Amino acid sequence: MKNQLVVIQPTPFCNINCRYCYLPQRTLSRRMSNATLAQIFQVLCASPFLKDELTCIWHAGEPLVLSIDFYRQAFLLQQQYNVNGLHISNAFQTNATLITQQWCDFIREHDIHVGVSIDGPQYLHDAQRVDRKNRGTFERVLKGIALLRANDIPYSAIAVVTGETVHYPDEFWHFFAELQPSRLGLNPEEVEGCNRHSSLHTLAGIEQYKRFLQRLLSLNEQSQSPLPIREFDTLLAKIQAGQVANNAGTNTPMSILNFDYEGNISTFSPELLSFTHPVYGRFTFGNVFTTQLEDILQDGKFVPMYAAIQRGIASCRESCDYFALCGGGAPSNKLHENGSFDSTETHACRLRIKITTDVLLEHLEQRYKVATA
């Protein structure tokens, strides 16, 4: 069974103004029209790339800025064009500040998965996740989460980990252990788009991140209710299955399809959707009103871009011992850190893959030694 991942940007606007945000158009209060929605689902459902399941992630800008009626119409259009009986699921990646009881009712009605962006205790969260008046958003986020929990709506959490976060692993772990998300994702702060500096992209930052992960694993080991941490769980599943990565979804064409509020289409890393480049221009390959998805593979801009991405993947395969767990890295990280798709190691892959793998393997080895002593 094949699941097609689609990222839809219904608006570039976000109601808050995180200091590390990579989006260049987050003050632009535009929204996707119903005509564009309809055309997206018409093009998607006619595509040869869809097989069995379709997951739509509403993201990139704050999706709950738009009304419930907008999504009610969107889901009707999904079903209208779903003539082949695909199983379609929807997900919101939200800052949770706009969640109300009405939103909870709608989320339950349509079985929508919810991912909440929250960075940990208030002193960590409010240091970065502020509104346009430079006020912290922590209390508003917790209010939204409290509504989700009161309505028995499961949610995952994503925390951006900065150079400040890594000094507080115990407080970080205990905060999320009490919050009880269905899964916690760790996003080390990246150099990407508008965010041209990462507090972790130094030798000291990388070492501190390693100690941070080690402590999280140790706390999990001691707990009767360990936190489900995405990075560890994903890697452990690959190691146990002996799984060898071919390519990552972000560097495989059409594995992820991205649509902006105007109906422009991209593939590869969703983070590329909003940017322009002196060589490639905009990272879009047509528009749903003029382009069929299969035409993208012959697009004059796509072909040289994909060739450069492939060269980068080949270089990673030849030079990196972690390739089987990575598949060649995210094109957006390579471009923003190294200036080229045709490149290899980034700070992002050191943190996300190399350090995380080393920490997990060291932990498993130590556990085995204790068990067999």
Side-chain angles (χ1 to χ4, degrees):
M1 182 170 290
K2 182 177 180 181
N3 185 13
Q4 178 69 56
L5 182 63
V6 173
V7 178
I8 301 178
Q9 180 196 63
T11 178
F13 182 77
C14 187
N15 63 314
I16 68 173
N17 192 32
C18 301
R19 303 188 198 283
Y20 48 57
C21 185
Y22 63 88
L23 293 169
Q25 296 182 317
R26 60 188 184 273
T27 61
L28 188 61
S29 56
R30 300 286 299 278
R31 56 156 279 175
M32 184 176 285
S33 69
N34 286 343
T36 303
L37 275 172
Q39 193 66 20
I40 285 173
F41 294 122
Q42 183 175 359
V43 167
L44 269 175
C45 292
S47 163
F49 302 107
L50 268 65
K51 300 298 182 184
D52 302 301
E53 298 188 1
L54 173 64
T55 298
C56 293
I57 301 178
W58 303 85
H59 189 18
E62 169 51 46
L64 302 194
V65 164
L66 301 183
S67 69
I68 289 172
D69 285 343
F70 172 87
Y71 291 103
R72 198 177 299 281
Q73 179 65 24
F75 298 166
L76 286 173
L77 289 167
Q78 282 179 350
Q79 295 308 318
Q80 178 181 333
Y81 289 102
N82 184 20
V83 294
N84 293 319
L86 292 168
H87 180 267
I88 301 178
S89 56
N90 289 280
F92 291 145
Q93 184 60 42
T94 176
N95 60 44
T97 61
L98 300 176
I99 291 175
T100 61
Q101 183 58 49
Q102 289 74 26
W103 274 114
C104 289
D105 294 340
F106 182 74
I107 288 165
R108 285 174 59 89
E109 177 187 354
H110 292 276
D111 195 23
I112 300 166
H113 176 79
V114 179
V116 173
S117 300
I118 179 170
D119 286 355
Q122 185 165 10
Y123 54 89
L124 295 175
H125 180 96
D126 281 351
Q128 302 292 335
R129 300 188 66 82
V130 297
D131 63 18
R132 299 192 186 283
K133 293 183 179 180
N134 208 34
R135 299 172 302 188
T137 60
F138 180 79
E139 291 181 357
R140 282 170 275 179
V141 177
L142 278 196
K143 183 179 177 181
I145 290 175
L147 276 169
L148 294 175
R149 295 179 70 175
N151 284 272
D152 295 320
I153 296 172
Y155 66 96
S156 59
I158 292 178
V160 173
V161 178
T162 68
E164 184 69 10
T165 312
V166 293
H167 296 295
Y168 301 96
D170 288 56
E171 294 85 347
F172 181 90
W173 186 92
H174 285 291
F175 174 80
F176 282 107
E178 183 176 344
L179 215 56
Q180 296 181 319
S182 59
R183 184 177 69 171
L184 172 63
L186 306 176
N187 283 1
E189 184 187 5
E190 296 181 348
V191 171
E192 200 162 49
C194 298
N195 193 45
R196 302 185 183 278
H197 170 77
S198 169
S199 53
L200 291 175
H201 287 191
T202 63
L203 290 177
I206 290 171
E207 182 59 32
Q208 289 166 342
Y209 187 71
K210 180 177 181 179
R211 291 198 294 269
F212 174 78
L213 294 181
Q214 288 171 331
R215 183 57 181 159
L216 295 186
L217 271 178
S218 177
L219 289 164
N220 260 357
E221 185 80 5
Q222 299 166 21
S223 174
Q224 294 183 349
S225 301
L227 268 173
I229 299 176
R230 177 186 63 191
E231 285 65 30
F232 294 136
D233 293 346
T234 300
L235 275 172
L236 185 59
K238 288 182 178 181
I239 292 168
Q240 289 174 334
Q243 179 179 342
V244 176
N246 292 315
N247 289 356
T250 55
N251 62 31
T252 304
M254 317 311 281
S255 178
I256 303 174
L257 291 166
N258 314 299
F259 301 91
D260 73 8
Y261 67 98
E262 295 179 309
N264 296 311
I265 312 166
S266 78
T267 186
F268 306 120
S269 304
E271 295 83 0
L272 293 172
L273 183 61
S274 301
F275 299 105
T276 57
H277 186 268
V279 174
Y280 297 107
R282 291 195 67 185
F283 292 101
T284 55
F285 311 110
N287 186 280
V288 290
F289 290 99
T290 57
T291 307
Q292 297 299 310
L293 295 182
E294 54 267 37
D295 297 337
I296 290 174
L297 300 179
Q298 307 301 322
D299 181 85
K301 187 164 45 175
F302 171 89
V303 172
M305 186 184 301
Y306 183 42
I309 290 171
Q310 285 289 96
R311 290 194 298 272
I313 293 170
S315 296
C316 286
R317 183 184 290 108
E318 293 168 3
S319 63
C320 184
D321 292 336
Y322 298 78
F323 181 82
L325 297 171
C326 169
S332 59
N333 292 133
K334 291 184 176 184
L335 185 71
H336 286 113
E337 286 196 43
N338 301 336
S340 170
F341 293 126
D342 183 5
S343 61
T344 56
E345 187 180 37
T346 63
H347 283 297
C349 78
R350 291 186 190 104
L351 294 164
R352 285 180 174 272
I353 303 298
K354 295 186 173 185
I355 293 298
T356 306
T357 302
D358 289 347
V359 167
L360 179 60
L361 290 177
E362 289 167 7
H363 179 79
L364 294 174
E365 182 178 353
Q366 184 60 34
R367 181 195 287 176
Y368 176 77
K369 288 179 179 178
V370 170
T372 57

